[in-house]
Amino acid sequence: AQSVTQPDIHITVSEGASLELRCNYSYGATPYLFWYVQSPGQGLQLLLKYFSGDTLVQGIKGFEAEFKRSQSSFNLRKPSVHWSDAAEYFCAVGATDSWGKFQFGAGTQVVVTP
Amino acid sequence: GAGVSQSPRYKVAKRGQDVALRCDPISGHVSLFWYQQALGQGPEFLTYFQNEAQLDKSGLPSDRFFAERPEGSVSTLKIQRTQQEDSAVYLCASSFLAGLTDTQYFGPGTRLTVL
């Protein structure tokens, strides 16, 4: 069975600074990996996804993530955060032979200070 | 509408009451998922429909939870004899096809509070 760990429950970052959110997964084969963002009162929005190929994935809102098989990681990065990036971020893994069932991490809350 | 909608957005129930939560997926979407998100946690899978067929209900916590999608569009999640531990946000998601390669679109959720 797959599992996802997000080691950081809460991160505070200054506006304009870089951001990196950690995600580690456990899965027997190459998984499908996702990052979602959840703003208050909003549904989860897909930022980016990795299935295969280039291990550096570009997403929306200036986010990118890098798949590192050797470290079982899929960390999310943004070079310069904006106040609107304050939200909760979820990493998710899916079995490649499934019809779409996700295993989500517990989430990382990002606070952006002026 | 353009996205997944859920109603009601907020529901307060007394312990022991039955509740029904509605999900309107994006029109034409084959797959529909229900998730439960407890406070401070990530969403946990409850059940999956492909059209009207419930193909996976392995995440339903107990037999008090029941979901249906009779015509392959709107879905209802019913919780009987609600307990305090049922308090959570219930999320619905839909995708055009089946499989992880197809983007899942999430609704805003229904926040259930059981007193």
Side-chain angles (χ1 to χ4, degrees), chain B residues 73-92:
Chain B
S73 55
V74 171
S75 177
T76 304
L77 177 67
K78 298 179 179 179
I79 308 173
Q80 296 177 324
R81 304 180 304 280
T82 52
Q83 304 294 316
Q84 285 190 321
E85 62 263 28
D86 300 334
S87 295
V89 176
Y90 290 85
L91 298 170
C92 175

Side-chain angles (χ1 to χ4, degrees), chain B:
Chain B
V4 178
S5 61
Q6 294 186 244
S7 60
R9 291 293 309 276
Y10 302 91
K11 177 70 178 177
V12 178
K14 292 182 179 178
R15 190 162 58 95
Q17 281 185 330
D18 298 348
V19 298
L21 313 180
R22 177 186 170 106
C23 172
D24 284 83
I26 296 172
S27 178
H29 277 198
V30 164
S31 294
L32 187 145
F33 305 81
W34 283 99
Y35 291 85
Q36 180 191 57
Q37 186 176 16
L39 189 63
Q41 300 297 317
E44 297 269 351
F45 169 80
L46 292 177
T47 188
Y48 166 67
F49 290 88
Q50 193 171 107
N51 296 308
E52 68 277 5
Q54 189 175 21
L55 298 188
D56 189 333
K57 51 183 181 179
S58 63
L60 295 176
S62 74
D63 58 7
R64 296 186 295 105
F65 287 71
F66 171 77
E68 60 183 5
R69 194 186 185 198
E71 297 178 357
S73 55
V74 171
S75 177
T76 304
L77 177 67
K78 298 179 179 179
I79 308 173
Q80 296 177 324
R81 304 180 304 280
T82 52
Q83 304 294 316
Q84 285 190 321
E85 62 263 28
D86 300 334
S87 295
V89 176
Y90 290 85
L91 298 170
C92 175
S94 71
S95 63
F96 183 60
L97 298 171
L100 282 169
T101 55
D102 208 42
T103 298
Q104 290 185 26
Y105 296 89
F106 282 79
T110 294
R111 182 177 297 277
L112 173 65
T113 303
V114 181
L115 303 177

Side-chain angles (χ1 to χ4, degrees), chain A residues 18-90:
Chain A
S18 63
L19 174 68
E20 181 167 11
L21 304 182
R22 296 184 291 164
C23 173
N24 294 98
Y25 68 89
S26 173
Y27 185 61
T30 300
Y32 288 175
L33 295 161
F34 305 79
W35 276 99
Y36 277 84
V37 61
Q38 187 176 40
S39 300
Q42 304 292 317
L44 288 157
Q45 182 182 22
L46 180 67
L47 287 175
L48 47 78
K49 55 190 176 185
Y50 173 78
F51 297 150
S52 65
D54 192 346
T55 56
L56 186 63
V57 181
Q58 302 297 321
I60 62 171
K61 304 185 179 187
F63 285 93
E64 66 177 25
E66 186 171 13
F67 171 63
K68 292 186 176 180
R69 183 190 305 274
S70 61
Q71 298 177 18
S72 297
S73 69
F74 188 57
N75 294 349
L76 182 72
R77 298 193 293 255
K78 185 169 184 177
S80 176
V81 298
H82 186 262
W83 64 266
S84 60
D85 294 322
E88 187 143 26
Y89 293 79
F90 293 94

